[in-house]
Amino acid sequence: MSSLTPLRVAVIGSGPAGIYAADALTRQNRETVAVDVLDRLPTPYGLVRYGVAPDHTKIKGVARTLRGVLEHPGVRFIGGVEFGRHIGRDDLARAYDAVIYATGASVDRRLDVPGEDLAGSVAATDFVNWYCGHPDTEVERFLLDTEEVAVVGAGNVALDVTRILAKSAEELSATDIPQPMLDVLAASKIRRIHLLARRGPLQAKFTAPELKDLGALDNADVVVRPEQVDIDPNSEAMLGAARAARTNLRILREWAERPFEGKPRRIDLRFWTRPVAILGEDRVTGLRVENTTLDTEGRLVGTGEHETLDVGMVFRSIGYMGVPLAGVPFDGTARTVPHTGGRVLGSGGNVLPGQYAAGWIKRGATGVIGTNKSDAAATVRALLDDAPELRAARGGAEPEPVEQVLQGSGAIVSDYADWLAIDAAEADRAAALGRGERVKLLGWDEFYDAMGALRANG
Ligand code: NAP
């Protein structure tokens, strides 16, 4: 290990990719490092906190591992600092030898059908932020006052959205959903959910454990059309080693044979169906869909058979996209930061010294949380290979403390102790409400109140 002053690295984003990058920086043990993990929120963990469904407590448990990284002596958490607003690339260069962008993918893909922007047509990202209690959302954002809805997409987020809509308030009570949102879910009038996949069961992106959850709900029957899981033997033989698709098919076939129990809610899981128009004047009153098939070259085509579903809301859950970062190269088609092995590339394809990317902003919104570990480790290997040049670029100059760089930026900077105060306040709220281990605070003011209480107590 080098005995020089630490290599200073800023990680932008404290989701799994950012924290795994910080972890790799401290573990690879090739350099002394000082890592600052910056986040626009005073709460760390990114999508683990504001993306993983509240009832997936086992997956959320990864926060315990991520916590250990933030408590490493070589790592600091700096909350309340938004890249592009409070700090930019040039400011970072005054304080750090290198920066890793790990800002994820925070907006929804567009369906590009008429009526997409009607009231009641909802991006999954918005709904997920809402039930996860993101501080930028508000309780009034959703009123579940319609009996029939559609969820479009065949990925795990579509399953999350469907499950949260289908569960009873009792089933959700032990989760960390903020109480005002839980009250809205408890008053939901939704009785029927059409979950629409534009291709077949073999092409669905669901993973089996998540799919299984849907079939184990106290409050909802899942209806699968037997003819849609009656796959011809040739296609099934072509599955070969595709274990995930085989497992999904087995689960779906079981469901197709299950008797309908008449539970309070019903989920119609329907394949080979794509939306062609969202209908309504001021708000959604229906969804026009078309049956689909694959042509001889495997391309998705419409069959010309249309139908109108009588739904009052449409949840569009067709994938997440990255958002450009001010002054950082961006590939508008892939919606990622262009890179080679994690090193950010400029417009001429040249490596931009000292700039790196990890996670969804590097590779797109794919994979599970654990995928980010190896992804971030690869980026960090490249960064540490570059350490001699990064130090040389510093010259004799001492980096400025980031606190100094942030002066006058307007950022309300918070630290790990502030997060622990929020964490404790959320545990207190759960205890007071008799609900599970945590109930999320809601909104920036509640965060500041919890942090202020800590500061007031010295
Ligand atoms: P995703 O896995 O990419 O699924 C997107 C779905 O939308 C696909 O079924 C896709 O169908 C469909 N789609 C795309 N464009 C469409 C269109 N124009 N019309 C109709 N359907 C369309 O995305 P995601 O569900 O947002 O998940 C993102 C990532 O997070 C995934 O890696 C996922 O596994 C992960 N995640 C994991 C968990 C978990 O482990 N529990 C939970 C949530 C999310 P095509 O295949 O035909 O394009």
Side-chain angles (χ1 to χ4, degrees):
M1 190 192 291
S2 167
S3 59
L4 298 169
T5 55
L7 190 74
R8 287 162 208 256
V9 183
V11 177
I12 310 298
S14 69
I19 297 188
Y20 283 135
D23 190 36
L25 281 161
T26 60
R27 271 177 201 272
Q28 290 190 13
N29 226 21
R30 290 157 57 192
E31 287 282 335
T32 46
V33 288
V35 188
D36 284 348
V37 181
L38 280 67
D39 202 293
R40 64 180 285 257
L41 301 180
T43 57
Y45 312 138
L47 278 191
V48 173
R49 191 173 150 89
Y50 292 119
V52 173
D55 58 340
H56 275 170
T57 42
K58 214 165 145 201
I59 303 179
K60 278 187 169 302
V62 77
R64 282 190 285 276
T65 311
L66 303 181
R67 176 183 178 132
V69 179
L70 292 184
E71 289 175 354
H72 186 284
V75 178
R76 287 194 305 178
F77 173 68
I78 302 180
V81 179
E82 183 173 346
F83 182 87
R85 179 172 171 215
H86 302 120
I87 203 161
R89 169 63 204 144
D90 292 344
D91 308 314
L92 286 170
R94 286 160 50 200
Y96 301 100
D97 300 304
V99 53
I100 301 177
Y101 304 110
T103 46
S106 56
V107 297
D108 62 300
R109 280 209 216 119
R110 304 267 308 165
L111 268 177
D112 286 329
V113 298
E116 187 159 13
D117 295 317
L118 278 171
S121 165
V122 174
T125 45
D126 275 355
F127 188 58
V128 170
N129 277 340
W130 180 83
Y131 65 62
C132 288
H134 192 287
D136 288 344
T137 194
E138 46 197 7
V139 66
E140 297 77 19
R141 178 81 187 77
F142 290 99
L143 188 61
L144 306 171
D145 59 348
T146 184
E147 289 204 357
E148 214 163 314
V149 302
V151 177
V152 179
N156 283 331
V157 174
L159 291 180
D160 286 347
V161 165
T162 303
R163 216 178 48 253
I164 296 297
L165 290 172
K167 280 191 169 182
S168 65
E170 292 70 39
E171 285 174 293
L172 295 172
S173 168
T175 69
D176 64 8
I177 296 180
Q179 189 61 40
M181 277 68 174
L182 187 62
D183 293 341
V184 173
L185 288 163
S188 164
K189 294 206 173 78
I190 295 172
R191 293 289 165 266
R192 187 167 185 187
I193 303 164
H194 301 271
L195 175 52
L196 307 178
R198 67 174 171 180
R199 296 189 290 154
L202 303 185
Q203 292 85 15
K205 299 256 170 65
F206 314 132
T207 47
E210 284 64 33
L211 185 60
K212 264 190 206 149
D213 279 356
L214 202 66
L217 303 181
D218 293 340
N219 203 45
D221 286 298
V222 184
V223 178
V224 174
R225 299 175 179 199
E227 69 275 15
Q228 293 203 322
V229 288
D230 183 16
I231 311 290
D232 71 90
N234 281 346
S235 307
E236 208 173 330
M238 278 167 60
L239 278 179
R243 238 181 86 219
R246 274 186 188 284
T247 314
N248 281 350
L249 190 58
R250 186 177 47 69
I251 297 166
L252 292 165
R253 281 181 172 156
E254 274 170 32
W255 293 354
E257 286 173 9
R258 278 204 315 212
F260 184 73
E261 291 182 45
K263 292 176 182 174
R265 291 190 173 125
R266 165 185 174 135
I267 299 164
D268 285 279
L269 177 40
R270 182 168 162 176
F271 294 95
W272 301 115
T273 309
R274 72 176 176 196
V276 290
I278 300 175
L279 311 175
E281 292 284 320
D282 309 321
R283 58 162 302 127
V284 175
T285 53
L287 178 66
R288 188 94 177 128
V289 296
E290 182 182 23
N291 292 345
T292 56
T293 187
L294 297 180
D295 69 11
T296 48
E297 283 163 38
R299 283 178 307 218
L300 186 78
V301 289
T303 64
E305 298 156 274
H306 291 88
E307 188 185 330
T308 299
L309 301 176
D310 192 16
V311 297
M313 290 181 89
V314 176
F315 295 82
R316 310 178 318 261
S317 181
I318 61 167
Y320 286 31
M321 301 192 303
V323 178
L325 295 163
V328 179
F330 193 70
D331 176 340
T333 308
R335 305 287 304 194
T336 52
V337 170
H339 72 97
T340 174
R343 294 180 177 95
V344 175
L345 295 174
S347 52
N350 52 311
V351 167
L352 298 183
Q355 299 196 58
Y356 303 84
W360 278 4
I361 197 67
K362 170 186 173 190
R363 64 171 201 280
T366 60
V368 293
I369 291 172
T371 317
N372 294 298
K373 193 166 185 179
S374 49
D375 176 296
T379 293
V380 165
R381 272 195 297 279
L383 187 157
L384 293 177
D385 286 347
D386 298 344
E389 293 91 69
L390 296 172
R391 285 182 189 282
R394 188 199 284 179
E398 266 305 298
E400 271 181 59
V402 69
E403 294 80 357
Q404 193 174 307
V405 174
L406 282 167
Q407 263 171 25
S409 69
I412 302 176
V413 180
S414 61
D415 61 16
Y416 188 69
D418 289 317
W419 153 240
L420 290 183
I422 293 169
D423 190 38
E426 293 187 337
D428 289 349
R429 180 157 300 177
L433 292 166
R435 284 185 50 198
E437 286 178 14
R438 171 193 305 278
V439 170
K440 287 213 187 97
L441 302 187
L442 185 57
W444 291 86
D445 287 346
E446 289 209 332
F447 286 160
Y448 294 141
D449 285 350
M451 288 157 50
L454 171 89
R455 288 175 186 178
N457 293 335

